[in-house]
Structures are given as structure tokens and as C-alpha cells.
Amino acid sequence: MDMKDERDDKDMTLLDDFFKEAAELQIEDNGFAERVVDALPERQAIESIAIKQLKQKSRIWNIICIAAGIALFVVLKGWNIFYDLKAMSLAAIMTIDYTHLFVNTLPLFLLLPLATIAAMLYFGFPELSKRW
């Protein structure tokens, strides 16, 4: 063993002896600790009161935020956003050139019925699916 390990072991022994003596020491309090504990309110009652208060504050905060949101919607004329979205979507639908869409997706539209029929046959007849 090296010198440091010996010193650490000696320190640990001294600490253990010190705390062993402290653990054996009893201070007489004439029942004071029990009276204090008996006088304390129950922990569950304190927690339930705190939870009720938090819920009440949360409800009040929710009402304030909803009222502020409604007030801002009215003041800033939020319904105009919906009108603008409607107008933009109609303009987008009217200006799309659908010929390229059909030309590019034609093979997909041709394969879709074939895939559907194949799936119906595969799942509709279990004896066929066992052979594959």
C-alpha cells in the first residue's frame, strides 16, 4: 500500500468512530419533537390546497388568454384572413394547368385499378395467398 491509501484508511476509521459516537448520543427533549410533529398539518391536506389554488389560477389565466385572443381577433379583423385564404385558394385552383397533371399521372391511374384487383384477389382468397 502506498502512503496515501494508508492515510485515507486512517481518516475513514476516525470518521466512522466519530459518527458512531454521535449516533449513540441521545438528547432528551421531554416529548417536544412528538408535539411538534402532532401540531403540523397533514402533508396531503397541504398538497391538496396547493393543487386547488394552482387549478384556480390556471382557470383564471385560461379565461384571460381566451378573452384576449377573441378581442385581438375582433380588433385586427381576423375574419379577413379567412377571406384571403379563400380567394388565394380559388385563384390557385383556377390557374392550374391540369393537362400536365393528367399526362404525368396517367400510368399511375392505369396501374391503380390493376393493383386494387390484385389486392382483392390476394386478400379475398386465402388459398391463393398461400400458394404465392
Side-chain angles (χ1 to χ4, degrees):
M1 260 195 214
D2 116 28
M3 188 70 154
K4 184 177 181 185
D5 290 337
E6 289 178 20
R7 193 175 26 195
D8 288 342
D9 289 339
K10 193 176 201 181
D11 290 343
M12 289 304 292
T13 308
L14 288 172
L15 282 172
D16 287 341
D17 290 343
F18 174 76
F19 284 116
K20 193 182 297 180
E21 291 173 12
E24 294 171 359
L25 182 64
Q26 290 286 332
I27 299 174
E28 191 60 38
D29 65 352
N30 297 327
F32 176 75
E34 289 83 13
R35 289 194 307 270
V36 168
V37 170
D38 290 339
L40 291 173
E42 290 187 32
R43 183 179 180 101
Q44 293 174 345
I46 292 172
E47 287 178 356
S48 66
I49 291 170
I51 289 172
K52 285 179 184 177
Q53 289 174 347
L54 285 174
K55 284 183 180 180
Q56 184 178 9
K57 289 177 183 178
S58 174
R59 285 187 197 113
I60 291 170
W61 184 244
N62 285 339
I63 291 170
I64 290 170
C65 289
I66 289 170
I70 291 171
L72 283 173
F73 185 81
V74 171
V75 168
L76 299 175
K77 297 179 183 175
W79 53 86
N80 287 335
I81 293 172
F82 296 114
Y83 291 137
D84 292 343
L85 287 174
K86 178 183 161 190
M88 286 190 305
S89 60
L90 285 174
I93 289 171
M94 296 301 206
T95 58
I96 292 176
D97 184 13
Y98 293 106
T99 58
H100 296 293
L101 180 67
F102 291 128
V103 169
N104 293 335
T105 58
L106 187 60
L108 177 66
F109 287 127
L110 291 176
L111 291 176
L112 189 62
L114 294 174
T116 304
I117 292 169
M120 288 171 57
L121 288 173
Y122 183 76
F123 292 111
F125 298 106
E127 61 274 3
L128 288 177
S129 63
K130 288 179 185 174
R131 278 192 286 169
W132 291 342

